[in-house]
């Protein structure tokens, strides 16, 4: 798949066109362009950074260095949020750590009446997210705000849903990850402390101040974190109906708790 994506990028066509032109010989300049892209990939640079595009929720998103590349499993987070607000006419949604804007933009395309505040501590991420919102045609639905978690919110601001794909990788695991991640992804968007739960604990404990009555906190989690995150939610005594959604591999991926 990487080979096809890179070749299509080098030729400035979509992947379908490769098959339609299967017998067409490449010119020398086309081969040279392709070889340069393959060399970059051989150095373990992620394909999304080479092409500058990553498809998420069937949306082509702009990707730049220093901003987390969205993963397919995060679509489970989008699905859970969309299902939660499906019957709400004009839901207020907060996303913490928007990165490229993948989740906020995807939710906005599914629920056009939603009002979404998408926050991130990184200015480059916010610029990228705002660009993706404009190019997808959902800028009117999403407001991007620079903030460390909830700090930029005014007291009394309330949401139907607070969602996040927070940093949840344990610190000691980071160096063992694939070179595509270790060498090219922003560690601040990945590392969640010794157990990978530092930001999850903060989100769970502070969310009560910004959720409407019966509002929901929805978080993506990592491998083998289901029981720990359930315990975090339960121990606070403010959440009911704690549920877990699994990804396509059958792994627990998203935890939801209702206030």
């Amino acid at each position: 798949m990487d080979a096809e994506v890179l070749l299509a990028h080098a030729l400035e066509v979509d992947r379908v066109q490769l098959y339609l032109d299967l017998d067409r010989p490449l010119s020398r300049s086309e081969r040279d362009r392709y070889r340069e892209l393959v060399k970059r990939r051989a150095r373990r640079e992620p394909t999304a950074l080479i092409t500058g595009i990553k498809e998420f929720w069937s949306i082509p998103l702009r990707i730049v260095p220093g901003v987390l590349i969205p993963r397919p499993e995060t679509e489970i987070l989008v699905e859970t949020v969309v299902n939660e607000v499906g019957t709400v006419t004009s839901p207020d949604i907060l996303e913490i750590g928007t990165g490229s804007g993948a989740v906020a933009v995807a939710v906005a395309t599914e629920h056009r009446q939603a009002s979404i505040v998408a926050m991130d501590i990184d200015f480059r991420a916010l610029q990228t997210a705002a660009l993706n919102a404009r190019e997808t045609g959902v800028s009117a639905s999403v407001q991007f705000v620079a903030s460390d978690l909830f700090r930029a919110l005014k007291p009394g601001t309330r949401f139907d849903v607070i969602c996040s794909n927070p940093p949840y990788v344990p610190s000691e695991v980071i160096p063992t990850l694939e070179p595509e991640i270790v060498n090219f992804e922003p560690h601040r968007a990945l590392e969640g402390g010794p157990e990978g739960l530092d930001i999850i604990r903060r989100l769970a404990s502070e969310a009560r101040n910004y959720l409407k009555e019966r509002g929901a906190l929805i978080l993506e989690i990592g491998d083998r974190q289901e029981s720990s995150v359930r315990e975090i939610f339960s121990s606070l005594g403010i959440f009911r109906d704690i549920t877990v959604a699994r990804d396509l591999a059958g792994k627990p991926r998203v935890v939801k708790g209702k206030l």
Side-chain angles (χ1 to χ4, degrees):
M1 187 183 70
D2 282 354
E4 286 188 4
V5 169
L6 293 176
L7 182 56
H9 181 68
L11 301 181
E12 298 181 345
V13 301
D14 59 33
R15 288 170 63 193
V16 172
Q17 194 64 38
L18 299 180
Y19 290 92
L20 296 176
D21 293 341
L22 193 61
D23 296 328
R24 180 177 75 81
L26 298 185
S27 68
R28 180 173 181 176
S29 63
E30 289 172 334
R31 290 198 304 272
D32 288 345
R33 280 201 304 272
Y34 186 43
R35 285 179 175 136
E36 286 305 311
L37 300 183
V38 171
K39 286 177 183 177
R40 291 173 64 182
R41 187 70 189 93
R43 293 193 290 267
R44 305 299 292 269
E45 185 175 353
T47 299
L49 285 182
I50 298 172
T51 64
I53 296 290
K54 176 69 174 180
E55 185 174 290
F56 179 87
W57 202 258
S58 298
I59 302 167
L61 297 173
R62 301 277 186 175
I63 300 298
V64 300
V67 177
L68 189 70
I69 300 169
R71 268 63 171 178
E73 54 266 28
T74 301
E75 292 187 351
I76 307 301
L77 178 63
V78 174
E79 185 177 285
T80 306
V81 172
V82 170
N83 289 339
E84 178 65 25
V85 299
T87 59
V88 182
T89 303
S90 300
D92 294 304
I93 300 170
L94 171 66
E95 185 195 6
I96 301 289
T98 193
S100 66
V103 172
V105 168
V107 171
T109 64
E110 294 296 323
H111 203 315
R112 293 288 178 170
Q113 285 72 48
S115 177
I116 303 171
V117 176
M119 294 179 153
D120 204 287
I121 198 172
D122 186 86
F123 186 66
R124 183 186 299 178
L126 290 170
Q127 286 182 313
T128 306
L131 174 61
N132 283 323
R134 287 197 302 272
E135 293 191 341
T136 310
V138 297
S139 291
S141 301
V142 189
Q143 176 187 4
F144 295 99
V145 178
S147 181
D148 179 6
L149 298 190
F150 299 100
R151 285 186 182 175
L153 291 176
K154 296 179 180 179
T157 306
R158 304 281 175 173
F159 299 90
D160 296 286
V161 166
I162 297 173
C163 65
S164 180
N165 174 18
Y168 56 67
V169 180
S171 302
E172 65 179 16
V173 174
I174 296 287
T176 71
L177 299 176
E178 294 181 344
E180 286 88 342
I181 298 174
V182 175
N183 298 331
F184 294 96
E185 295 273 36
H187 289 197
R188 182 165 61 178
L190 298 167
E191 188 172 349
E195 303 169 280
L197 301 172
D198 286 3
I199 303 300
I200 290 175
R201 286 193 179 95
R202 287 182 61 188
L203 289 169
S205 63
E206 297 177 32
R208 75 179 84 188
N209 300 318
Y210 304 98
L211 280 172
K212 296 180 184 179
E213 185 178 355
R214 293 185 293 278
L217 175 65
I218 304 174
L219 304 179
E220 181 173 323
I221 63 172
D223 292 345
R224 296 183 293 278
Q225 291 182 337
E226 177 186 2
S227 60
S228 297
V229 177
R230 278 183 176 272
E231 174 59 28
I232 290 171
F233 276 50
S234 298
S235 65
L236 293 169
I238 59 172
F239 294 107
R240 61 178 178 84
D241 299 335
I242 301 170
T243 58
V244 174
R246 296 181 179 273
D247 61 22
L248 296 179
K251 295 181 179 180
R253 185 57 59 187
V254 171
V255 175
K256 179 181 75 172
K258 301 274 285 187
L259 193 66

